[in-house]
Amino acid sequence: MGSPILHVENLTVSFSGFKALNGLNFSLQPGELRVVIGPNGAGKTTLLDVITGKTRPTAGRVYFRGEDITKLPEQAIAHRGIGRKFQTPNVFKSLTVLENLSLAVKGRRTVTSGLFRPVLNGEAGRVHEILDLIGLGHKARFRAGLLAHGEKQWLELGMVMAQDPELLLIDEPVAGMTPRESERTGELLLAMARKHTLIVIEHDMTFVRQIAHTVTVLDEGQLLCEGTVEEVQRNPKVIEVYLGQDREADAADRTALCVVR
């Protein structure tokens, strides 16, 4: 096994005494699609916040391609090749699908420069390649605000891809989607994984089974276990966490448990 593209070492994040992450160690290999699961409050989103520089850790280090990026600002981390897709779609609703993707092409850092700088041939080819991949070629001239929820999610995934990051961090991509939209999103992420390294946070275990080879389970800011979906769903510690044998499980965890068991 080669050097990891991402390595998190003894990562701790404290908020007024509460440890959202507690001495977490985590590594990811280039080209891997890793799914991170865990009950609410497990530290999943906090992990992404630290990797992207949005949150500073109380202790520990984050290494990307061997470089310590722990103290770098968000923009510097993004320039090094880390992109992020938040749970809620964040697109320019008044612009067309094509314009949204054109703005996101690598090298365009502001709305103004993106709108008034001509699109080069190579960039135009990349935009249309992404349009085909996300399945929105037939809606290229539609305003983004008119898209369905799932289509907005696919558009934003395309916008992240257009920035050409090496590592993509994707937070709950199928939240609010229909089963068919979820299935299509899984197909899209698997296609993206051919060219990018991905970390996907998700609660929907049916979706996790569709895309995951390796699953990381977090609980109370710590690594609970890692393995295949089958190994994780048989793990007594995971069953305990989702069942809430020692604490009451919330509705979302019970829904996930129905699949985990």
Side-chain angles (χ1 to χ4, degrees):
M1 185 177 293
S3 300
I5 188 172
L6 179 75
H7 177 63
V8 167
E9 184 177 282
N10 299 319
L11 204 62
T12 297
V13 175
S14 296
F15 298 112
S16 302
F18 169 74
K19 290 185 176 180
L21 293 175
N22 188 7
L24 179 66
N25 292 288
F26 174 87
S27 290
L28 188 72
Q29 292 296 316
E32 187 176 355
L33 192 166
R34 179 74 63 87
V35 179
V36 179
I37 68 171
N40 292 338
K44 304 182 297 297
T45 298
T46 302
L47 173 61
L48 301 194
D49 288 344
V50 174
I51 293 171
T52 56
K54 182 179 179 181
T55 296
R56 297 294 179 203
T58 307
R61 292 286 183 269
V62 178
Y63 297 92
F64 179 61
R65 295 185 301 180
E67 178 187 4
D68 186 350
I69 63 170
T70 313
K71 296 182 179 181
L72 293 180
E74 292 181 70
Q75 187 176 18
I77 292 173
H79 276 270
R80 278 163 172 74
I82 298 179
R84 184 172 183 180
K85 161 76 176 72
F86 290 88
Q87 179 179 346
T88 303
N90 185 21
V91 299
F92 297 101
K93 296 180 180 180
S94 63
L95 300 181
T96 67
V97 170
L98 185 61
E99 288 169 337
N100 270 274
L101 289 174
S102 296
L103 285 174
V105 170
K106 189 176 182 180
R108 296 176 186 173
R109 301 301 174 191
T110 66
V111 173
T112 303
S113 65
L115 283 175
F116 294 101
R117 176 176 163 279
V119 178
L120 303 178
N121 288 337
E123 293 175 345
R126 176 61 176 155
V127 167
H128 285 284
E129 177 186 338
I130 293 172
L131 272 173
D132 290 339
L133 182 61
I134 63 178
L136 293 178
H138 64 297
K139 292 190 175 181
R141 304 294 178 182
F142 280 48
R143 292 193 183 277
L146 300 177
L147 298 177
H149 172 71
E151 292 172 330
K152 289 175 183 173
Q153 295 280 34
W154 301 334
L155 173 57
E156 189 175 10
L157 284 171
M159 292 169 68
V160 175
M161 278 191 290
Q163 298 168 29
D164 202 23
E166 290 188 53
L167 173 63
L168 281 77
L169 312 178
I170 303 172
D171 198 350
E172 296 192 36
V174 299
M177 286 190 179
T178 66
R180 179 66 191 107
E181 288 175 332
S182 296
E183 182 180 357
R184 173 71 185 97
T185 301
E187 295 168 354
L188 176 55
L189 293 182
L190 290 171
M192 292 169 63
R194 299 187 191 115
K195 294 185 177 181
H196 305 273
T197 304
L198 278 70
I199 297 177
V200 180
I201 290 176
E202 191 49 67
H203 284 290
D204 186 328
M205 293 303 296
T206 300
F207 179 73
V208 170
R209 280 226 273 280
Q210 179 188 352
I211 67 170
H213 175 69
T214 302
V215 178
T216 295
V217 185
L218 301 185
D219 183 42
E220 296 184 344
Q222 297 178 311
L223 179 65
L224 186 66
C225 73
E226 286 183 335
T228 66
V229 176
E230 292 75 17
E231 290 169 342
V232 164
Q233 67 185 14
R234 290 195 303 265
N235 189 298
K237 293 180 180 179
V238 176
I239 295 173
E240 178 183 324
V241 165
Y242 277 94
L243 266 173
Q245 291 175 348
D246 295 326
R247 57 185 180 271
E248 185 177 356
D250 63 21
D253 293 340
R254 291 186 183 278
T255 299
L257 174 66
C258 292
V259 182
V260 171
R261 294 189 71 190

